[in-house]
Amino acid sequence: MPNIIEITDFSAPELDVYARLTETQLLSRGAPEQGVFIAESPRVIERALDAGYAPLSFLMERRHVAGQGAALIRRCPDLPVYTAEFDLLTQLTGFALTRGMLCAMRRPPLPSVEAVCSGARRIAVLEEVMNPTNVGAVFRSAAALGIDAVLLTPACSNPLYRRAVRVSMGTVFQVPWTFFPGDAPWPEQGLSLLHRLGFRTAAMALRDDSLCIYDGRLAEEPRLAVVLGTEGDGLSPSTIAACDYTVRIPMSHGVDSLNVAAASAVAFYQLGLLHTATSGGGP
């Protein structure tokens, strides 16, 4: 029997995760093991469940209980389902921006870099990409274009921030990822760790000595890490200097660079998807 709970008190603490807690507060909830994130829309929630993420509660319009939310409710029959008409739910901060359904979920422990990279041939590394929209877009491209895993430096936006999850269309649940740990500070120790794991590193940067992204040497690398930088300044000079390759995307009409999300799609297509196609499959 579904556990349907009609919302009558918007100050109820059970609704804090949806209405009143910031992303930073959701991240820890007092301790890392208590971290929570919000998934929105039936498709994204379904992908999270398929990936093994643990749900805590649903929040949805009343019409979705017997509609597009019905299959999810049957899948999680003991979960609290908070519901009301849409005009009432819009009183909850941000709910008007969703597709009628939210799910609070438990954040799992982060895997190690070694675990995430096990068996991977092509990975992406994000350095200080702080916009969650860009992080989500990079993950969507990674999932579609043959990237096996994503690693993030500590200053990056968290892939489980609500906007990142939404923009990624739930692919943050499909592509393995983690942050570099504190005992492997970026870039020196982080890049050294990648080299020990057998990866050659390719910094996406505009320099006179940069290789064109079509250079055959890149495609021939059995394990390659594509390193992308922050939205404004790109990669740090120390990161570029420590990478094995510096790579550029050819431009025309006087355009000097692409947004990091757009650049990732081009790079992943050339270095990820095409490599997979020519090598006969993924890991």
Side-chain angles (χ1 to χ4, degrees):
M1 187 73 176
N3 184 14
I4 309 298
I5 303 170
E6 189 75 16
I7 296 174
T8 57
D9 181 5
F10 285 98
S11 65
E14 294 85 357
L15 300 179
D16 284 349
V17 293
Y18 298 110
R20 289 173 285 275
L21 296 183
T22 66
E23 292 283 14
T24 301
Q25 290 170 321
L26 288 173
L27 182 63
S28 64
R29 295 277 289 173
E33 64 274 12
Q34 297 176 4
V36 174
F37 70 93
I38 304 298
E40 64 181 84
S41 86
R43 181 65 180 276
V44 170
I45 295 168
E46 183 180 31
R47 284 180 169 173
L49 293 174
D50 288 345
Y53 285 75
L56 299 173
S57 66
F58 290 118
L59 175 67
M60 65 181 70
E61 293 179 60
R62 185 181 292 120
R63 66 188 178 94
H64 291 323
V65 171
Q68 60 180 320
L72 293 172
I73 293 173
R74 287 195 299 271
R75 189 169 175 176
C76 309
D78 299 324
L79 219 62
V81 181
Y82 300 102
T83 185
E85 295 295 343
F86 182 74
D87 58 348
L88 293 178
L89 291 177
T90 55
Q91 297 179 43
L92 289 172
T93 302
F95 192 79
L97 301 177
T98 75
R99 299 180 181 179
M101 190 180 306
L102 300 175
C103 183
M105 293 188 150
R106 182 73 65 198
R107 287 176 180 265
L110 284 177
S112 67
V113 171
E114 292 84 352
V116 165
C117 292
S118 177
R121 296 177 179 176
R122 291 292 185 267
I123 66 172
V125 177
L126 303 185
E127 178 184 271
E128 297 188 2
V129 177
M130 293 174 279
N131 186 318
T133 297
N134 284 335
V135 170
V138 168
F139 267 86
R140 191 170 182 181
S141 293
L145 299 172
I147 297 301
D148 302 313
V150 177
L151 302 177
L152 305 100
T153 64
C156 284
S157 179
N158 194 289
L160 294 184
Y161 281 175
R162 181 170 160 183
R163 184 177 295 275
V165 172
R166 180 170 67 244
V167 172
S168 82
M169 289 298 294
T171 55
V172 295
F173 310 126
Q174 298 175 315
V175 179
W177 62 271
T178 196
F179 283 89
F180 282 98
D183 59 357
W186 184 264
E188 293 83 3
Q189 296 301 315
L191 286 170
S192 294
L193 175 57
L194 291 179
H195 287 140
R196 290 198 301 273
L197 293 174
F199 287 93
R200 299 274 279 174
T201 51
M204 300 299 300
L206 296 171
R207 288 170 41 130
D208 292 339
D209 60 348
S210 294
L211 295 179
C212 176
I213 197 169
Y214 304 123
D215 192 294
R217 286 171 286 184
L218 299 170
E220 291 171 1
E221 289 291 353
R223 306 189 89 186
L224 187 69
V226 182
V227 187
L228 298 126
T230 186
E231 294 86 348
D233 299 326
L235 292 171
S236 68
S238 58
T239 296
I240 296 171
C243 283
D244 300 298
Y245 299 105
T246 305
V247 181
R248 61 178 174 82
I249 299 170
M251 301 284 169
S252 63
H253 297 291
V255 177
D256 60 353
S257 64
L258 296 173
N259 167 276
V260 64
S264 73
V266 176
F268 297 165
Y269 176 79
Q270 179 63 31
L271 303 176
L273 184 65
L274 289 185
H275 172 269
T276 300
T278 56
S279 63

